[in-house]
Amino acid sequence: MKWEVVIGIEVHVQLNTASKIFSGASTAFGAAPNTQASAVELAFPGVLPVLNRAVVDKAIRLGLALDAKINQKNVFARKNYFYPDLPKGYQISQMELPIVEHGKIKILVGDQEKVIGVTRAHMEEDAGKSLHEDFHGLSGIDLNRAGTPLLEVVSEPDMRSVDEALAYVKVLYALVTWLGICDGNMQEGSFRMDVNVSVRPEGQKEFGTRREIKNLNSFRFLEQAAKYEIQWQIDTLEDGGKVQQATVLFDPDSGETRMMRSKEDAHDYRYFPDPDLLPVRISDEQIARIRADLPELPGAMQARFVESYGVSAYDAALLTSSLKQAEYFEAAAKASGQGKLAANWVNGEIAARLNRDGKEIGDCPIDAARLSGLIVRIADGTLSSKLAKQVFEAMWDSELSADAIIERDGLKQVSDVGAIEKMVDEAIAANPKAVEEFRAGKEKALNALAGQVMKASKGKANPAQVQEILKQKLA
Amino acid sequence: MSLTHQDVARIAKLARIAVTDEEIVAVGAQLNNIFSLIEQMQAVDTDGIEPMAHPQDVSLRLRDDVVTESDRRAAFQAIAPQVENGLFLVPKVIE
């Protein structure tokens, strides 16, 4: 049987405020345990939550970027459950009236564009951390993280493959960091994903029973976990079994998902409006002010890159995977006047090397100005693509400009017709067999001859010219 | 609507309140009284009336995003039953 995968995703985006959502305690990461837990997070009797204005502004900022509806009246609710990392006995969240509803995110998979619906995004507080080891049978509680502002972004079950799911979370990640509302530090839990997965026979209308993979903090884990879970569900169904609705955890060591709790003991959160907090009202002016302050968004920038620099839609999507990357590309493209070449280098050599070293574009040892110096020398024919790579290598490990390296290492491409003709003549004389084959109609033989010339020139001959002169001589 | 014995036991469990079987009978009767009052209210036609989230028609005041709290861990932990290395210790919980 052919199976269709259905995926919906909830992302907890940690907002990069200085203070907590409901108190003036610091949100800085890595402080000594409980030194940033105020009486509000500790749920001392009589304390009251006071909402942080920046949380509302950042939520609106994302809402506008998602082309969503901003609920100008929205309401906080209590989500009730008992766990020691949440001393109040409830989490303040939003239920019926979230701040953001009905947004959309455009993704690109291969050359296929698709719009994924964003059901809602709501404001809530994070819980603290429980540590279960080394406390003589007790659990240790650190409430520094409690009260850190989160935006929970919930998608529609619109994704039909792991690739679409990955594309969605990557676009959302790029957007929240682009907007400057999240620091994007996934190791520190700033972007945590819950993935709802189900499968159904192709053509069936109803969704299959879903299982939710909780708390994934890397794209690689999401990919592994979703792939494993999909296969597990298909195997289970094909063996005649049933998928029970459940919450599962992904174990990165085994690469497997395992059940955390089934639907039977699923929480009954008994939501109700939080009487400690009045409805949040958002004025038209506030929305207009935030809208005016929005940067050019990735989608608009992609369209502009395609239009102004002639890069492909695929390249444009890669270039706008972060604001820094987009700015880097644009600086190199403008300085060199060569958009396509700049895109090729940024998405090619540079991306590969940064990836290899686990670095970001901000750490790139070659800045956009130096890269454009290299691109100019490729465009004007000074460097063949092979020589360009050699120069690039040298630039990566030094502070030198492309021109300085070309000069120092004598890497200028030979475009002098006389010099190339001489080498071509030698190659023809030395390879009668290849010449014969070419004349007999074997096009490939020309490449062999061209290779000989390139070798003789130590890679410095202009390859286009070599081909041209060879053809002339053999005609 | 009438709450069964099991309903009351479940509500008590969710609220982490220990109740004996006898108490469940007594509490169940009280809860059912409350529910009959709610039933009366539900008979009122509320079509077209916006649900009320708070009895007062005022909106929330916001605070600026500024750190105003200092570290008061020592004071808070002085009254905690058990602490270690700055952590509050609680009976072991693993979901």
Side-chain angles (χ1 to χ4, degrees), chain A residues 17-26 32-35 37-39 42 44 50-54 73 75 82-84 131-132 134-142 261 267-268 270 273 275 277-281, chain B residues 10-17 50-77 79 82-95:
Chain A
T17 55
S19 65
K20 294 195 174 168
I21 181 169
F22 296 121
S23 86
S26 169
N34 292 308
T35 52
S38 76
L42 264 58
F44 270 58
V50 189
L51 181 60
N52 184 339
R53 185 189 313 280
K73 177 189 170 190
V75 173
F82 286 98
Y83 206 73
L131 302 144
H132 300 298
D134 300 331
F135 298 106
H136 357 280
L138 298 170
S139 290
I141 305 294
D142 175 9
R261 55 176 182 250
H267 286 301
D268 176 353
R270 297 151 295 143
L277 290 155
L278 293 158
V280 181
R281 294 198 199 260
Chain B
R10 178 173 157 74
I11 292 167
K13 185 181 171 227
L14 284 170
R16 299 293 188 276
I17 296 171
E50 195 189 337
M52 189 173 70
H54 199 277
Q56 280 167 307
D57 188 25
V58 281
S59 48
L60 191 61
R61 290 197 37 180
L62 308 177
R63 43 168 265 274
D64 289 334
D65 181 24
V66 180
V67 175
T68 53
E69 295 285 336
S70 51
D71 171 18
R72 292 163 67 201
R73 184 175 81 180
F76 290 138
Q77 295 201 331
I79 53 167
Q82 215 178 336
V83 294
E84 188 175 310
N85 299 334
L87 298 164
F88 293 96
L89 295 190
V90 299
K92 188 141 191 152
V93 275
I94 286 202
E95 225 172 325

Side-chain angles (χ1 to χ4, degrees), chain A residues 414-463:
Chain A
V414 177
S415 299
D416 168 18
V417 178
I420 295 176
E421 274 186 338
K422 188 163 165 275
M423 289 185 282
V424 166
D425 286 340
E426 284 165 12
I428 289 173
N431 296 281
K433 201 168 158 233
V435 172
E436 207 173 298
E437 282 175 1
F438 176 72
R439 290 209 164 113
K442 204 172 159 196
E443 289 284 328
K444 269 195 185 151
L446 192 71
N447 292 336
L449 287 165
Q452 290 297 323
V453 176
M454 292 308 292
K455 204 170 152 196
S457 76
K458 299 197 176 72
K460 283 188 261 177
N462 179 329

Side-chain angles (χ1 to χ4, degrees), chain A residues 54-278:
Chain A
V55 175
V56 179
D57 285 353
K58 285 170 198 274
I60 296 171
R61 205 167 154 82
L62 179 65
L64 293 175
L66 293 174
D67 199 14
K69 179 181 172 221
I70 309 296
N71 282 324
Q72 291 183 255
K73 177 189 170 190
N74 58 86
V75 173
F76 281 101
R78 291 185 181 181
K79 177 180 180 178
N80 298 281
Y81 65 93
F82 286 98
Y83 206 73
D85 61 15
L86 191 72
K88 290 195 299 298
Y90 57 86
Q91 178 191 29
I92 305 177
S93 180
Q94 298 194 297
M95 184 60 188
E96 260 128 42
L97 279 172
I99 187 164
V100 171
E101 277 184 294
H102 314 305
K104 45 185 181 284
I105 278 184
K106 213 193 279 172
I107 61 167
L108 193 66
V109 174
D111 53 3
Q112 210 56 25
E113 208 176 82
K114 184 168 173 177
V115 174
I116 306 298
V118 175
T119 317
R120 55 187 278 149
H122 64 254
M123 303 178 279
E124 63 182 28
E125 58 180 342
D126 207 345
K129 267 190 182 146
S130 329
L131 302 144
H132 300 298
E133 286 88 33
D134 300 331
F135 298 106
H136 357 280
L138 298 170
S139 290
I141 305 294
D142 175 9
L143 294 167
N144 279 350
R145 199 183 62 184
T148 300
L150 302 177
L151 261 187
E152 180 171 337
V153 183
V154 183
S155 87
E156 293 288 318
D158 283 348
M159 288 150 274
R160 294 291 173 269
S161 67
V162 176
D163 285 343
E164 288 185 8
L166 271 176
Y168 169 80
V169 289
K170 284 181 179 171
V171 171
L172 179 60
Y173 177 86
L175 190 59
V176 295
T177 49
W178 192 284
L179 292 169
I181 63 172
C182 173
D183 69 13
N185 194 327
M186 296 183 76
Q187 285 85 33
E188 294 175 6
S190 294
F191 192 89
R192 312 196 291 269
M193 301 163 284
D194 300 340
V195 184
N196 284 284
V197 177
S198 67
V199 299
R200 62 182 170 188
E202 221 170 58
Q204 179 181 302
K205 273 234 163 67
E206 305 79 48
F207 290 139
T209 306
R210 66 167 196 270
R211 302 212 312 167
E212 181 179 20
I213 313 165
K214 277 272 185 205
N215 226 0
L216 298 161
N217 67 355
S218 88
F219 298 135
R220 192 162 53 86
F221 289 167
L222 182 147
E223 182 175 10
Q224 289 173 3
K227 279 186 173 159
Y228 176 87
E229 178 63 23
I230 289 164
Q231 199 52 51
W232 181 88
Q233 290 189 15
I234 291 173
D235 290 347
T236 301
L237 293 169
E238 287 188 342
D239 290 347
K242 262 195 161 162
V243 174
Q244 303 281 349
Q245 191 173 330
T247 305
V248 301
L249 285 178
F250 175 66
D251 179 356
D253 295 327
S254 68
E256 295 178 359
T257 55
R258 65 182 164 79
M259 179 123 89
M260 190 167 126
R261 55 176 182 250
S262 69
K263 197 192 171 195
E264 283 73 54
D265 43 52
H267 286 301
D268 176 353
Y269 292 121
R270 297 151 295 143
Y271 282 96
F272 64 89
D274 190 332
D276 284 346
L277 290 155
L278 293 158

Side-chain angles (χ1 to χ4, degrees), chain A residues 337-352:
Chain A
Q338 300 289 331
K340 269 187 151 163
L341 271 176
N344 290 346
W345 280 87
V346 174
N347 287 341
E349 284 300 311
I350 289 183

Side-chain angles (χ1 to χ4, degrees), chain A residues 328-385:
Chain A
Y328 182 97
F329 159 74
E330 188 151 34
K334 270 196 179 142
S336 65
Q338 300 289 331
K340 269 187 151 163
L341 271 176
N344 290 346
W345 280 87
V346 174
N347 287 341
E349 284 300 311
I350 289 183
R353 276 170 174 268
L354 290 174
N355 199 23
R356 184 195 66 189
D357 300 346
K359 286 181 169 171
E360 308 268 325
I361 192 81
D363 314 316
C364 184
I366 302 178
D367 65 17
R370 277 212 295 154
L371 179 69
S372 78
L374 173 67
I375 290 169
V376 166
R377 289 296 162 251
I378 301 166
D380 72 9
T382 308
L383 295 173
S384 65
S385 61

